[in-house]
């Protein structure tokens, strides 16, 4: 079925609504294996960052969504990262954390709008509930959980290849 969908030019991408954790892990594994064959996902290109070319190749060849292409990139980038090189690993972590931080940046914009609707005391109460420390803790925990999931996928790739 998957191969049929990939060969159909009328199919733009393949999405799954509300996938289970096991399905997500399997999809990450399969998509990572497939994308390893694409030129833009080769190790020498991964350290240049996520690109429109990666999105285009993944979508055209395997009907992978932009979001899934990004996950696949992050998995393969971690696989290609020299963990004994602290600077290389730091750059990887920061790039993933920047993506994880996007919802917080959108929330900051909405906070400015909210300020015009609340009185100063109400707005201060909202601000205190959204502390920077909580945000940093959340980002760190989210990153650690994500990296653990990605490492499991990488172990499966290494066992398979």
């Amino acid at each position: 079925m998957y191969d049929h969908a990939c060969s159909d030019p009328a199919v733009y991408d393949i999405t799954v609504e509300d996938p289970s954790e096991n399905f997500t892990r399997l999809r990450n594994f399969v998509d990572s294996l497939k994308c390893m064959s694409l030129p833009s996902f080769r190790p020498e290109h991964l350290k240049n960052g996520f690109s429109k070319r990666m999105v285009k190749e993944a979508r055209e060849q395997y009907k992978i969504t932009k979001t899934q292409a990004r996950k696949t990139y992050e998995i393969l980038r971690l696989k290609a990262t020299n963990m004994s090189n602290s600077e290389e690993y730091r750059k990887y972590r920061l790039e993933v954390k920047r993506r994880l931080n996007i919802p917080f940046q959108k929330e900051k914009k909405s906070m400015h709008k909210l300020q015009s609707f609340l009185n100063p005391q109400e707005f201060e109460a909202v601000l205190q509930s959204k502390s920077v420390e909580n945000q940093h803790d959340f980002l760190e925990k989210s990153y650690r959980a994500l990296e653990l999931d990605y490492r499991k996928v990488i172990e499966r790739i290494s066992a398979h290849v």
Side-chain angles (χ1 to χ4, degrees), residues 7-66:
S7 64
D8 186 344
V11 175
Y12 184 75
D13 61 31
I14 300 170
T15 60
V16 177
E17 288 193 32
D18 200 23
S20 69
E21 278 187 41
N22 287 334
F23 180 85
T24 299
R25 209 171 291 120
L26 177 64
R27 183 172 191 177
N28 288 343
F29 168 70
V30 170
D31 290 348
S32 295
L33 273 179
K34 289 184 175 295
C35 286
M36 286 172 67
S37 69
L38 298 174
S40 64
F41 284 88
R42 290 199 180 118
E44 63 268 18
H45 299 296
L46 293 171
K47 292 181 183 138
N48 296 331
F50 186 62
S51 68
K52 290 179 182 179
R53 183 174 171 213
M54 290 174 179
V55 173
K56 184 176 189 276
E57 284 183 2
R59 185 180 59 246
E60 288 176 356
Q61 191 72 34
Y62 301 118
K63 310 297 184 185
I64 296 173
T65 65
K66 180 179 179 178

Side-chain angles (χ1 to χ4, degrees), residues 27-143:
R27 183 172 191 177
N28 288 343
F29 168 70
V30 170
D31 290 348
S32 295
L33 273 179
K34 289 184 175 295
C35 286
M36 286 172 67
S37 69
L38 298 174
S40 64
F41 284 88
R42 290 199 180 118
E44 63 268 18
H45 299 296
L46 293 171
K47 292 181 183 138
N48 296 331
F50 186 62
S51 68
K52 290 179 182 179
R53 183 174 171 213
M54 290 174 179
V55 173
K56 184 176 189 276
E57 284 183 2
R59 185 180 59 246
E60 288 176 356
Q61 191 72 34
Y62 301 118
K63 310 297 184 185
I64 296 173
T65 65
K66 180 179 179 178
T67 301
Q68 186 62 23
R70 175 65 193 220
K71 284 183 190 178
T72 301
Y73 157 76
E74 289 176 358
I75 291 165
L76 296 177
R77 168 92 187 260
L78 179 61
K79 184 179 183 307
T81 298
N82 178 356
M83 301 305 284
S84 60
N85 181 328
S86 60
E87 182 61 19
E88 193 174 316
Y89 179 52
R90 185 184 76 75
K91 285 180 181 179
Y92 170 79
R93 280 192 333 267
L94 289 175
E95 183 174 2
V96 173
K97 285 181 179 181
R98 270 194 294 278
R99 179 186 60 80
L100 293 173
N101 195 44
I102 290 171
F104 291 107
Q105 296 306 316
K106 289 179 181 176
E107 188 175 302
K108 276 186 183 178
K109 290 179 183 177
S110 66
M111 292 296 282
H112 290 296
K113 291 178 186 176
L114 185 62
Q115 187 174 14
S116 65
F117 294 106
L118 299 176
N119 69 45
Q121 294 82 12
E122 291 170 330
F123 186 68
E124 186 61 34
V126 170
L127 283 179
Q128 287 180 5
S129 71
K130 309 230 181 244
S131 77
V132 173
E133 279 181 28
N134 290 343
Q135 180 180 339
H136 286 254
D137 288 345
F138 175 81
L139 283 174
E140 186 61 30
K141 287 177 186 172
S142 296
Y143 173 79

